[in-house]
Amino acid sequence: KSFPAGVKFVYLVDINQFLDASISKVLHTLVECFLLVFLVIFLFLQDFRSTIIHGVSVPVAIVGTFFFLNLFGFSINMLTLFALVLAIGIVVDDAIVVVEAVHVKLESGYKSSHKAAIDEMSEISGAIVSITLIMVAVFIPVTFVTGSAGVFYKQFGITLAIAIMIAAINALTLCPALAAMFLSPPDHGKD
């Protein structure tokens, strides 16, 4: 409106269209990844209750990651969303270990899922903490890259490190509690 008469402007390249399409694809991939993880868990554990535990623990880790991204002043961009897609596969690992360990305890004769969850956590807590520290140690050095590329790598590395740490906290607290509530000893029947 403030241009003189006869002067017009034309967008030669609108990068927003590319970014919107890219973010839409990443969100689509995030949903697909989420659904595939739960399908695989259901197929291998063949227990809907176990799938519910993962259905709660993974979104808690992802939403918690969004909270910390906001706290650090990061935006939701291609790299943070890509890190979240990658994080879904990593985040579910700790929960799988916990639920599978409770299943093993229940299969071996435990009658109480509460007791099975307590006993298995005393056995695998050290492993969960150590693997979390190792994985965080892999992604934290990426945050020290300098220059303009370093800004992006920093967001990527911190997003993954936060998601991994929240997943470990979930595996040490939320997953055993849910396993104690939802899982039950198998009914092998009387032969």
Side-chain angles (χ1 to χ4, degrees):
K1 293 180 179 180
S2 62
F3 286 164
V7 176
K8 298 179 187 177
F9 72 93
V10 177
Y11 288 110
L12 296 177
V13 177
D14 188 3
I15 198 71
N16 286 334
Q17 291 177 350
F18 170 75
L19 288 175
D20 290 342
S22 297
I23 288 174
S24 173
K25 286 292 184 187
V26 169
L27 291 174
H28 183 72
T29 304
L30 194 63
V31 170
E32 284 177 352
C33 193
F34 192 75
L35 293 174
L36 282 173
V37 162
F38 298 114
L39 179 65
V40 168
I41 289 168
F42 182 72
L43 288 175
F44 281 98
L45 292 179
Q46 297 193 3
D47 181 24
F48 185 70
R49 291 177 179 200
S50 300
T51 309
I52 291 173
I53 295 170
H54 296 92
V56 170
S57 64
V58 172
V60 166
I62 299 299
V63 170
T65 304
F66 281 123
F67 170 77
F68 283 101
L69 289 178
N70 187 30
L71 194 67
F72 288 131
F74 294 157
S75 65
I76 297 175
N77 55 38
M78 290 300 297
L79 284 169
T80 54
L81 287 174
F82 174 65
L84 288 174
V85 169
L86 183 60
I88 284 182
I90 296 171
V91 161
V92 78
D93 287 345
D94 291 337
I96 288 173
V97 168
V98 171
V99 172
E100 197 272 333
V102 174
H103 269 281
V104 168
K105 292 282 186 196
L106 292 172
E107 288 284 335
S108 69
Y110 276 72
K111 301 296 182 204
S112 166
S113 57
H114 182 266
K115 176 78 170 133
I118 290 172
D119 287 354
E120 65 89 13
M121 286 311 294
S122 67
E123 295 173 6
I124 65 170
S125 294
I128 291 173
V129 169
S130 63
I131 193 65
T132 300
L133 293 175
I134 290 168
M135 291 182 75
V136 168
V138 168
F139 291 110
I140 289 295
V142 172
T143 64
F144 295 113
V145 174
T146 58
S148 58
V151 173
F152 297 113
Y153 285 121
K154 181 177 184 178
Q155 291 183 16
F156 178 79
I158 288 177
T159 301
L160 272 169
I162 289 169
I164 291 167
M165 287 188 288
I166 292 173
I169 292 168
N170 278 349
L172 294 171
T173 58
L174 181 63
C175 289
L178 291 175
M181 287 175 26
F182 289 133
L183 299 182
S184 57
D187 182 20
H188 293 298
K190 307 240 192 289
D191 291 322

